[in-house]
């Protein structure tokens, strides 16, 4: 029973500080990395698409990949912000 209680589904505000840090740091690093990639690639992609008269299947697939990466950035940054907010409330208020 004790082991099952340790691995039960918890909300973020029920987690101890060390778990919030364990979840928050990797989420921040992942979202930061992919945001950097998206901000570097997207302007060149838009310029390349604007130079063509039409968008081909490669352009559509690259746009789809960029959208998936943007969703990943949103997901992991939401986790990082939630962990940060809870830790800020606990430690500094």
């Amino acid at each position: 029973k004790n082991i099952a209680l340790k691995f039960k589904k918890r909300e973020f505000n029920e987690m101890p500080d060390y778990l919030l840090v364990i979840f928050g740091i990797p989420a921040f690093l992942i979202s930061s990395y992919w945001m950097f990639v998206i901000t570097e690639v997207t302007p060149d992609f838009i310029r390349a698409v604007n130079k063509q008269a039409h968008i081909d299947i490669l352009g559509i697939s690259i746009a789809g990949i960029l959208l998936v990466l943007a969703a990943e950035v949103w997901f992991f940054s939401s986790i990082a912000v939630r962990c940060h907010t809870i830790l800020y409330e606990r430690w500094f208020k």
Side-chain angles (χ1 to χ4, degrees):
K1 277 188 170 181
N2 290 336
I3 294 173
L5 289 175
K6 286 186 179 184
F7 292 107
K8 74 174 185 135
K9 184 178 177 181
R10 298 180 183 180
E11 292 183 12
F12 280 104
N13 57 1
E14 296 174 346
M15 290 183 184
D17 293 347
Y18 72 92
L19 275 181
L20 291 172
V21 171
I22 288 172
F23 284 124
I25 290 174
F28 171 74
L29 293 174
I30 292 168
S31 64
S32 298
Y33 175 76
W34 287 118
M35 179 57 80
F36 174 75
V37 170
I38 289 172
T39 56
E40 290 291 314
V41 172
T42 303
D44 294 332
F45 172 70
I46 292 172
R47 276 188 225 101
V49 168
N50 286 338
K51 286 182 183 178
Q52 293 182 345
H54 66 284
I55 187 165
D56 56 356
I57 191 70
L58 179 63
I60 293 170
S61 58
I62 291 172
I65 291 170
L66 289 174
L67 285 172
V68 168
L69 289 177
E72 184 177 356
V73 167
W74 172 78
F75 177 77
F76 283 108
S77 63
S78 296
I79 292 172
V81 167
R82 181 73 175 136
C83 292
H84 163 75
T85 305
I86 293 171
L87 289 173
Y88 181 81
E89 290 289 325
R90 289 183 188 174
W91 292 353
F92 299 112
K93 284 196 174 184

